[in-house]
Amino acid sequence: TNGGLIRGRFREELDEVMEQINASIGFDRRMATQDIDGSVAHVTMLREQGIISGADATAITGGLDVIRGEIVSGTFAYSVKLEDIHMNVEARLGELIGEAAGRLHTARSRNDQVATGFRLWVRDAHDRTLRLLARLVGVLVEQAAAHTATVMPGFTHLQSAQPVSFGHHLMAYVEMFGRDHSRFRDARARMNESPLGAAALAGTSFPIDRARTAELLGFERPMRNSMDAVSDRDFALEYLSSASLCMTHLSRLAEEIVLWMSPQFGFVELSDAWTTGSSIMPQKRNPDAAELVRGKTGRVHGALLGLLTVMKALPLTFSKDMQEDKETTFDAADTLELCLKATIGMIGDMEARGAAMAAAAGSAHATATDLADWLTRELGMPFREAHHLTGRLVRLADEHRTTLARLTLDQLRGVDPRITADVFTVLGVEDSVRSRRSFGGTSPERVAHEVEQWRTRVEAL
Ligand code: ARG
């Protein structure tokens, strides 16, 4: 048991509940291979520095290799009595190679050991997330490419505002996920330093080479302060905050998919592969995956707030509170990755219903701004006056139960005789979208240009 390894000063066994609250093996087994990677680097360096013998190092590395095999194949017997993954691996190493196992922990503490293993795990999570975000941006760009001129209503306050293209709307998410990608990349670069060799908190009197273990583990450099190295969980917090923001973006897109899928909108369709039925209502096609992405956002936000709260006001250096960093981070990473995969799937699967979008765009006076702009540009009216006049025309259209674009020239001139037939060139939703040629605007050429830019950028993500 753990007692055998580190309870020299104790006479009695742990209380059962103490054992239960103390153990992290239930979840930190997920970083078993990272723990072994850290140990292999450490033992390699110890031998190179002449701190342990070549024979001991070979025995330890061989034993760790066997254990890695047992973990990967699922035959490793984890024990709660051994508290965590570090003690589980070390105890098994003792069974396999005997006395030499006891030399692995020279010039090391579980404090720098866990900081190293967890950092390696979070770094792997960053890499998986970066790849998924690149794929998501890729599918969004390709959907947008197919719909640079598909007109839909753009909303503010969830009220029809101005017509936009579906492609432009999707490209807005490309920008968000592009920023998410750069946030994860920045955070990964910042966290890629090695805590190994900080030992418990103060460093060690053994002649270790921290730059060497850093290099062996693919870290840029060793962390500069041993106390910071064992106390810092910024790397997990930055991962979680990037994940939280990314989930917020995913939840907004998910919510839009839910809205677009509702028969009242009817803007998009998802295939059978991405919809579920109802147990009682035979007609239903529910966008459950989108709802779950929306719902699961709470877990990731919760993980961030949870760890911020664990770390708040925690004095230097290690306290056992910090063991609470892993479970929610693992869950947040699983959740984020699943939601990214589901969103990639839905976006690739989604079929736009251009006719429904165009009808909705054309039905709500969505080109009122275009009319006001025309009055300003063509008649030299101050914009505020044009705004007021257009408002009166909207009311007139409402009174005739029609839309702005369908008012007759006589009706328009009844309100202001200066209006000419030229006005009809700006009242159609397609005209409106085509006219928005300003940088960042929704005109089809602008959107097509952005699509091309992103097709190149996505290669480099
Ligand atoms: N299981 C512990 C954790 O997850 C490992 C560190 C233990 N260190 C200690 N001083 N008790 O953080």
Side-chain angles (χ1 to χ4, degrees):
T1 72
N2 190 338
L5 284 172
I6 60 170
R7 284 182 69 83
R9 65 162 290 170
F10 301 88
R11 269 204 212 98
E12 287 166 30
E13 285 291 303
L14 285 186
D15 183 275
E16 224 176 281
V17 175
M18 174 62 198
E19 192 171 280
Q20 202 188 332
I21 194 171
N22 201 37
S24 54
I25 189 61
F27 46 89
D28 66 15
R29 65 174 69 182
R30 283 199 59 182
M31 46 183 239
T33 57
Q34 289 83 0
D35 184 64
I36 290 173
D37 291 342
S39 291
V40 170
H42 183 64
V43 84
T44 304
M45 179 277 294
L46 290 179
R47 188 185 60 78
E48 287 171 2
Q49 296 298 105
I51 298 169
I52 64 170
S53 72
D56 284 341
T58 306
I60 293 170
T61 316
L64 288 172
D65 234 35
V66 173
I67 295 171
R68 189 195 296 277
E70 292 175 348
I71 284 160
V72 172
S73 68
T75 56
F76 189 89
Y78 297 97
S79 157
V80 184
K81 287 238 174 291
L82 289 166
E83 191 179 326
D84 59 23
I85 186 60
H86 321 294
M87 304 312 295
N88 268 268
V89 169
E90 195 179 323
R92 178 69 182 135
L93 189 64
E95 287 171 14
L96 288 170
I97 68 168
E99 207 190 41
R103 299 196 188 277
L104 167 61
H105 212 57
T106 312
R108 186 176 76 170
S109 156
R110 262 191 299 168
N111 295 346
D112 59 334
Q113 187 180 357
V114 71
T116 303
F118 188 37
R119 219 170 250 267
L120 290 172
W121 196 95
V122 173
R123 193 177 70 184
D124 289 344
H126 271 287
D127 291 341
R128 291 192 300 271
T129 303
L130 287 168
R131 283 195 296 274
L132 287 169
L133 273 169
R135 280 178 53 203
L136 177 56
V137 168
V139 287
L140 281 165
V141 168
E142 290 317 310
Q143 268 289 3
H147 293 289
T148 55
T150 305
V151 173
M152 72 181 284
F155 298 90
T156 60
H157 313 267
L158 201 56
Q159 307 283 323
S160 257
Q162 295 177 348
V164 294
S165 78
F166 187 48
H168 195 51
H169 196 132
L170 294 175
M171 290 302 286
Y173 284 100
V174 165
E175 295 291 331
M176 291 177 237
F177 294 122
R179 284 194 298 274
D180 287 333
H181 189 279
S182 79
R183 251 184 297 275
F184 279 107
R185 203 182 38 207
D186 291 350
R188 187 201 188 281
R190 201 163 17 253
M191 64 97 78
N192 198 25
E193 295 185 340
S194 174
L196 192 58
L201 74 162
T204 173
S205 56
F206 287 99
I208 60 170
D209 183 349
R210 291 192 56 205
R212 178 65 176 139
T213 46
E215 184 198 354
L216 287 167
L217 293 168
F219 288 120
E220 287 297 326
R221 62 190 78 84
M223 293 178 75
R224 302 183 65 87
N225 181 298
S226 62
M227 295 178 76
D228 177 49
V230 293
S231 307
D232 168 42
R233 293 296 181 272
D234 293 6
F235 68 91
L237 287 167
E238 275 202 78
Y239 170 79
L240 290 173
S241 56
S242 305
S244 291
L245 196 38
C246 184
M247 284 300 301
T248 290
H249 293 152
L250 288 168
S251 76
R252 296 181 78 173
L253 178 53
E255 165 69 0
E256 300 213 278
I257 293 173
V258 171
L259 287 171
W260 295 341
M261 273 283 287
S262 82
Q264 285 69 22
F265 277 74
F267 286 3
V268 302
E269 242 173 69
L270 289 174
S271 75
D272 291 356
W274 288 97
T275 44
T276 57
S278 156
S279 61
I280 176 170
M281 298 166 282
Q283 85 283 12
K284 291 297 284 283
R285 256 173 105 75
N286 298 326
D288 291 36
E291 295 163 63
L292 283 161
V293 169
R294 194 173 59 181
K296 283 175 186 290
T297 300
R299 296 166 78 119
V300 178
H301 291 187
L304 171 62
L305 196 60
L307 186 54
L308 281 170
T309 310
V310 167
M311 296 309 294
K312 176 197 170 287
L314 205 59
L316 303 187
T317 55
F318 183 86
S319 292
K320 201 64 175 255
D321 312 46
M322 288 163 71
Q323 180 165 285
E324 288 294 311
D325 58 4
K326 287 174 223 47
E327 208 171 359
T328 49
T329 302
F330 294 157
D331 181 72
D334 291 343
T335 304
L336 174 64
E337 288 164 33
L338 182 60
C339 290
L340 282 166
K341 286 178 196 163
T343 307
I344 290 166
M346 286 187 286
I347 295 299
D349 182 82
M350 197 164 74
E351 279 221 35
R353 293 280 168 259
M357 289 181 181
S363 71
H365 314 305
T367 54
T369 314
D370 300 83
L371 175 53
D373 286 349
W374 185 89
L375 294 168
T376 304
R377 197 173 52 241
E378 304 299 325
L379 304 185
M381 224 178 253
F383 183 75
R384 275 291 157 250
E385 190 187 330
H387 184 287
H388 186 80
L389 180 61
T390 305
R392 285 175 56 203
L393 290 168
V394 166
R395 199 171 62 214
L396 182 70
D398 279 342
E399 279 161 14
H400 286 83
R401 304 204 175 285
T402 185
T403 65
L404 262 187
R406 291 206 190 89
L407 286 173
T408 64
L409 187 58
D410 284 348
Q411 286 172 322
L412 292 165
R413 296 173 76 119
V415 175
D416 191 312
R418 287 173 295 172
I419 296 175
T420 67
D422 179 64
V423 76
F424 292 111
T425 63
V426 302
L427 292 183
V429 289
E430 255 120 44
D431 304 319
S432 169
V433 168
R434 221 175 305 123
S435 72
R436 299 279 195 262
R437 291 191 198 91
S438 57
F439 183 82
T442 190
S443 79
E445 313 87 80
R446 280 283 183 198
V447 177
H449 181 72
E450 285 304 307
V451 163
E452 282 319 312
Q453 298 273 305
W454 271 103
R455 274 181 172 152
T456 312
R457 288 179 72 177
V458 91
E459 300 286 311
L461 289 184

